[in-house]
Amino acid sequence: LLVTGGERGIGTNFVRYWRNAHPNDEITVLDALTYAGRRENLAGMDGITFVHGNICDQALVEMLLRDRAMDTLVHFAAESHVDRSISGPDAFIETNIVGTHSLLKAAKRAWLDTGSGKPHRFHHVSTDEVYGTLGPDDPAFTETTAYAPNSPYAASKAASDHMVRAYSRTFGLQTTISNCSNNYGPYQFPEKLIPLFITNALHAKPLPIYGDGQNVRDWLHVDDHCRAIDLILGKGQAGTVYNVGGGQEMSNLAIVESICAGIDDAFTRDPNLAGRFKAAPAARGVATSSLKSFVTDRLGHDRRYAIDCSKIERELGYRAQIGDFIEGFSTTLAWYLKNQDWWLNFKQA
Ligand code: NAD
């Protein structure tokens, strides 16, 4: 299979997951190495072919699909950070819309126009943000909720979802889409809320909380997300959309409190951490929550997302196995504490 954007974040977790779950499959990763500019996460792994390239390069993608006889494309590559989409939307149009369309054209050429017509799958990874925002008592997003994206990021993902749908309906490309909630876990770039707050706390930097901190998100452990995509690729109907969630609706403030409590607890249990992270308040017995800092709200900040994933549960047997945020967070924190060299590279970049 061809995995786009496999060199960071969810894509890296997915490649690692797939390597274990399907050891005989050949995996090619196509990634432009944005931000980091170097390979970090899959280097040294057996059975992975890495191609440094851009999803906008239609000829390259077409050649990869055809020459390596690949029948599955899992598309993670994106500009993914909402704040960056507010300060510079152009890259989001280019990668998320033009890039996804370029992949669709390549897949159509390789699999339909000049290919064998064999079964194939184009899986597009999208977000619950395409559905807009909810009030406190509104029902959760379902697959039929009308799209109402509010940030340039969400609008670019919505546009890409529509193009994927159109290539399925118009040309018969065998596509699936998953719209998932906020992911957390290893290998997340420290601009996303959870790794940002962990790494800031360890360096005694402020923990910036937008507005009143009462924005609510559903939190999905990345391992559960990978299992959901595996189910969709194996059993999901072509032309279908599935919502994927973790069943963990929490306010940002509650997330920050959990992070702070988790860090304090880790320092109490492991005295070596005080020596490794000397600047951290927890190293001096000071509560990590002392770093909390309320900042001006993000423009257009959606108030609440909640995801109804009963369709994938009913049809494909999906269940979030890490449905408890405290449990999922403690293994995530342990990973960031152990892999300081990994995130320090980015923090200093
Ligand atoms: P990320 O930004 O951490 O990683 C994106 C990867 O794509 C990087 O390796 C980057 O180098 C690569 N990339 C970017 N532009 C590229 C291009 N033009 N060509 C080739 N490679 C390119 O993203 P993430 O948080 O892991 O998200 C992965 C996918 O999941 C995205 O499509 C995102 O919209 C979606 N998603 C993420 C979340 C979340 O909580 N992180 C939630 C819902 C949906």
Side-chain angles (χ1 to χ4, degrees), residues 5-14 16 34-36 40-42 76 78-82 84 125-129 153 180-200 202 217-223 225-226 255 259 298 325 328-329 331-337 339-347:
E7 195 42 59
R8 191 172 70 224
I10 306 171
T12 289
N13 285 279
F14 178 78
R16 289 177 170 274
T34 61
Y35 311 169
E40 293 281 344
N41 300 333
L42 301 172
F76 293 96
E79 288 293 336
S80 67
H81 192 47
V82 176
R84 287 182 192 259
V125 178
S126 190
T127 169
D128 58 359
E129 303 196 24
Y153 163 67
C180 71
S181 54
N182 277 34
N183 281 229
Y184 69 103
Y187 298 105
Q188 258 194 325
F189 197 74
E191 66 182 357
K192 301 276 163 58
L193 191 140
I194 288 180
L196 175 75
F197 279 30
I198 293 173
T199 54
N200 274 14
L202 296 174
R217 303 289 182 259
D218 173 88
W219 289 90
L220 168 67
H221 193 279
V222 70
D223 289 351
H225 187 189
C226 293
I255 289 286
I259 294 172
R298 170 191 277 167
F325 179 78
F329 175 69
T331 54
T332 302
L333 174 62
W335 189 88
Y336 284 93
L337 289 172
N339 293 284
Q340 182 189 5
D341 290 348
W342 180 86
W343 53 261
L344 218 47
N345 273 335
F346 304 121
K347 217 61 187 172

Side-chain angles (χ1 to χ4, degrees), residues 180-252:
C180 71
S181 54
N182 277 34
N183 281 229
Y184 69 103
Y187 298 105
Q188 258 194 325
F189 197 74
E191 66 182 357
K192 301 276 163 58
L193 191 140
I194 288 180
L196 175 75
F197 279 30
I198 293 173
T199 54
N200 274 14
L202 296 174
H203 285 180
K205 290 188 177 164
L207 309 180
I209 303 163
Y210 282 132
D212 61 3
Q214 292 308 322
N215 305 69
V216 171
R217 303 289 182 259
D218 173 88
W219 289 90
L220 168 67
H221 193 279
V222 70
D223 289 351
D224 280 326
H225 187 189
C226 293
R227 281 188 275 274
I229 296 173
D230 193 353
L231 285 170
I232 295 169
L233 290 174
K235 300 200 277 180
Q237 283 282 97
T240 308
V241 176
Y242 296 96
N243 282 353
V244 182
Q248 287 288 303
E249 257 194 75
M250 289 171 80
S251 70
N252 286 347

